[in-house]
Amino acid sequence: MHLRSPDDLRTLVERYLDELALSPELGGLEQAVRYPLESGGKRIRPVLCLAVGEAAGGEAERCLAAAAAVELVHAFSLVHDDLPALDDDDERRGRPSAHVAYGEAVALLAGDALLAEAFRLALSYPTPAVGRELAEATLGMIGGQYRDVTGSAGDLAELHRLKTGALFSAAVGVALWAAEVPEVEQRPWRAFGAELGLLFQIVDDVLDGDGYAESHGVAGARALADAAAERAQERLEAVPADTSVLAELVAGLASRTT
Amino acid sequence: MHLRSPDDLRTLVERYLDELALSPELGGLEQAVRYPLESGGKRIRPVLCLAVGEAAGGEAERCLAAAAAVELVHAFSLVHDDLPALDDDDERRGRPSAHVAYGEAVALLAGDALLAEAFRLALSYPTPAVGRELAEATLGMIGGQYRDVTGSAGDLAELHRLKTGALFSAAVGVALWAAEVPEVEQRPWRAFGAELGLLFQIVDDVLDGDGYAESHGVAGARALADAAAERAQERLEAVPADTSVLAELVAGLASRTT
């Protein structure tokens, strides 16, 4: 089967999010719910999800709702994390963050709606497993943010496993369910997924000059990122499928500059 | 089959919520997530859910996860609505509200966690229909809160249909799925469920002296509540089951004084 390139998959994601029908009962809130979805993020998680779905022998189209659900959970977390009560960030991807654009009350509700819409999408599958995976990941992510806000994480690795890793793992996990990969065959895929959050986060820290870059120095953090990328590529070799596009995604994660 | 009384069902709900295992990844956030669940609410929605499940021929125990999911969505909405950015309420059921007890950041995250835990519970069933029902209701409720905050509701009836009615309807709906009532037989049950939110809300307004009590006067609102209770009882008569406990719940909703 012909596997689509990361760019082609990203186009699929963008189109799906553009045309996504939200619950009509959101009424005037819809605009604020769409706002954080339009802001040209890298779509790394949903593209990963589609690429796993295709590599596993499914149609990327069948994984689109699951991929979008993961992106909506990500957007929910950004909108709430940016609020004055949490990180108090006024800007996000070069635009005013949601609470600056729409006010705190509407941003809070828009974040809630993004999470509920994510579950609506995850629940469009005949199996509840997609939604289960998403719920677990969301809880991990929230637990990570709690530890970050309160400074109660055991170490940076635990923090990132929850704050970032849980949703990367879920991007792989929901794709497996959406593509109907039997549970007994999911293990090597999941081992691969478990490496990605850390890789993403270390590179993020190198680009932002904090976290791992602070604790290990830029060169030290870069070496950790390379090691994480190498582990991810090794995990891919254990996956019995054409993982060429996934290998390309890993290489892109390791070498990204934005 | 012997149907349990509302009090017995309430005891079941309390015990289930007391013993509910939350995601271990929430870590120290767990306390703030439990806090709004411990505050001795009336448990009207989960008791309704169990009563529907029993009347429909299921075991109340099979509906417990769904009933708790509905109560967690309710708790999520209270925690977020009480935040300074929304209603800014410092007290809830005679205790400090969550953001007063734990600070805004933790209350915001606790609300998020309650919603995600609600879906985890709803997704413990083999059918995704329980979770779907919950997602739709949550979106309606958020849309209602948006209209309330922005003053953009068409009228009081639309506002209450969303803010209150959606979750009452879902309490009935999730019980039908959990008790495996076939979709073609659900209609009379759902017609009953659709009457309850309005009944609850009008009585609430009479007790609080706002909303319908303001727009229709106390006597006028009381008459509307009686009419809503009568419609709910009529709808029950169309349900082919022993609905005696449900009739008792409706009478209790109409005559409640707290």
Side-chain angles (χ1 to χ4, degrees):
Chain A
M1 195 176 92
H2 169 70
L3 296 180
R4 276 172 281 193
S5 71
D7 279 346
D8 285 352
L9 297 175
R10 190 168 296 113
T11 303
L12 272 185
V13 169
E14 293 292 351
R15 196 180 310 146
Y16 187 85
L17 290 174
D18 269 357
E19 294 171 359
L20 183 61
L22 302 180
S23 164
E25 298 189 331
L26 291 177
L29 184 59
E30 170 156 350
Q31 206 190 340
V33 175
R34 291 201 185 276
Y35 180 76
L37 295 173
E38 295 159 354
S39 59
K42 296 176 284 292
R43 314 297 190 197
I44 294 178
R45 296 162 192 79
V47 167
L48 169 66
C49 180
L50 298 188
V52 167
E54 281 217 336
E59 279 268 303
E61 279 76 2
R62 276 178 64 189
C63 298
L64 269 168
V70 170
E71 185 70 1
L72 263 65
V73 169
H74 178 54
F76 137 79
S77 76
L78 298 182
V79 169
H80 278 189
D81 289 358
D82 283 346
L83 284 169
L86 289 168
D87 301 346
D88 196 12
D89 277 327
D90 284 352
E91 230 183 79
R92 166 71 59 188
R93 296 172 187 148
R95 300 196 310 169
S97 48
H99 68 94
V100 173
Y102 292 96
E104 272 189 66
V106 172
L108 176 58
L109 294 174
D112 292 343
L114 282 162
L115 184 54
E117 287 282 359
F119 281 106
R120 203 175 52 83
L121 286 168
L123 286 157
S124 63
Y125 292 91
T127 169
V130 176
R132 279 178 201 154
E133 188 101 26
L134 202 67
E136 298 287 352
T138 303
L139 287 161
M141 212 176 59
I142 295 168
Q145 176 66 349
Y146 171 81
R147 285 165 178 79
D148 202 7
V149 165
T150 56
S152 59
D155 57 23
L156 218 49
E158 185 199 3
L159 188 67
H160 292 327
R161 182 181 62 78
L162 294 169
K163 264 196 85 163
T164 313
L167 201 55
F168 269 90
S169 292
V172 173
V174 296
L176 298 175
W177 294 118
E180 296 181 13
V181 176
E183 194 163 4
V184 290
E185 296 171 20
Q186 293 184 359
R187 203 165 159 176
W189 296 94
R190 290 182 178 276
F192 162 66
E195 300 291 344
L196 299 177
L198 186 64
L199 167 58
F200 176 84
Q201 192 58 56
I202 301 172
V203 175
D204 227 45
D205 290 352
V206 168
L207 296 174
D208 294 344
D210 57 11
Y212 278 95
E214 232 164 45
S215 61
H216 291 74
V218 169
R222 175 51 64 196
L224 284 176
D226 291 344
E230 202 173 314
R231 280 198 307 277
Q233 299 286 14
E234 279 169 21
R235 297 284 183 258
L236 269 186
E237 283 162 29
V239 170
D242 176 353
T243 56
S244 54
V245 172
L246 289 168
E248 200 181 328
L249 283 177
V250 170
L253 277 179
S255 63
R256 74 190 170 96
T257 54
T258 58
Chain B
M1 195 176 93
H2 170 70
L3 296 179
R4 276 172 281 193
S5 71
D7 279 347
D8 285 353
L9 296 176
R10 190 167 296 111
T11 303
L12 273 185
V13 169
E14 294 294 350
R15 195 180 312 143
Y16 187 84
L17 289 174
D18 269 358
E19 294 171 0
L20 183 61
L22 301 180
S23 165
E25 298 190 331
L26 291 177
L29 183 60
E30 169 155 351
Q31 207 190 338
V33 174
R34 290 200 185 278
Y35 180 76
L37 294 173
E38 294 160 355
S39 59
K42 295 176 287 288
R43 314 296 190 198
I44 294 177
R45 295 161 193 77
V47 167
L48 170 66
C49 180
L50 298 188
V52 167
E54 282 218 335
E59 279 267 304
E61 279 76 3
R62 277 178 63 190
C63 299
L64 269 169
V70 169
E71 185 71 359
L72 263 64
V73 170
H74 178 55
F76 137 78
S77 76
L78 298 182
V79 169
H80 278 189
D81 289 358
D82 283 346
L83 285 169
L86 288 170
D87 301 344
D88 196 13
D89 277 327
D90 283 353
E91 231 184 77
R92 167 70 60 187
R93 296 171 188 151
R95 301 195 309 170
S97 48
H99 67 96
V100 173
Y102 292 96
E104 273 189 65
V106 172
L108 176 59
L109 293 173
D112 292 344
L114 282 163
L115 184 54
E117 287 282 358
F119 281 106
R120 204 178 51 84
L121 286 167
L123 287 157
S124 62
Y125 292 91
T127 169
V130 177
R132 280 176 200 157
E133 187 101 26
L134 202 68
E136 298 287 353
T138 303
L139 287 161
M141 211 176 61
I142 295 168
Q145 176 65 350
Y146 170 80
R147 285 166 179 78
D148 203 7
V149 166
T150 56
S152 59
D155 56 23
L156 218 50
E158 185 200 2
L159 188 68
H160 292 327
R161 181 181 64 80
L162 294 169
K163 263 196 86 162
T164 314
L167 200 57
F168 269 90
S169 291
V172 173
V174 296
L176 299 175
W177 294 119
E180 296 180 14
V181 175
E183 194 164 2
V184 292
E185 296 171 20
Q186 294 185 359
R187 201 162 160 182
W189 297 95
R190 290 182 179 275
F192 162 67
E195 300 291 344
L196 300 176
L198 186 64
L199 167 58
F200 176 84
Q201 192 57 57
I202 301 172
V203 175
D204 227 46
D205 289 353
V206 168
L207 296 173
D208 294 345
D210 58 10
Y212 278 94
E214 234 166 42
S215 60
H216 291 74
V218 170
R222 175 50 64 198
L224 285 176
D226 290 344
E230 202 172 313
R231 278 198 308 277
Q233 299 287 13
E234 280 170 20
R235 298 283 185 257
L236 270 187
E237 283 162 29
V239 170
D242 176 353
T243 56
S244 54
V245 173
L246 289 168
E248 199 181 329
L249 283 177
V250 170
L253 277 179
S255 63
R256 74 193 170 94
T257 54
T258 57

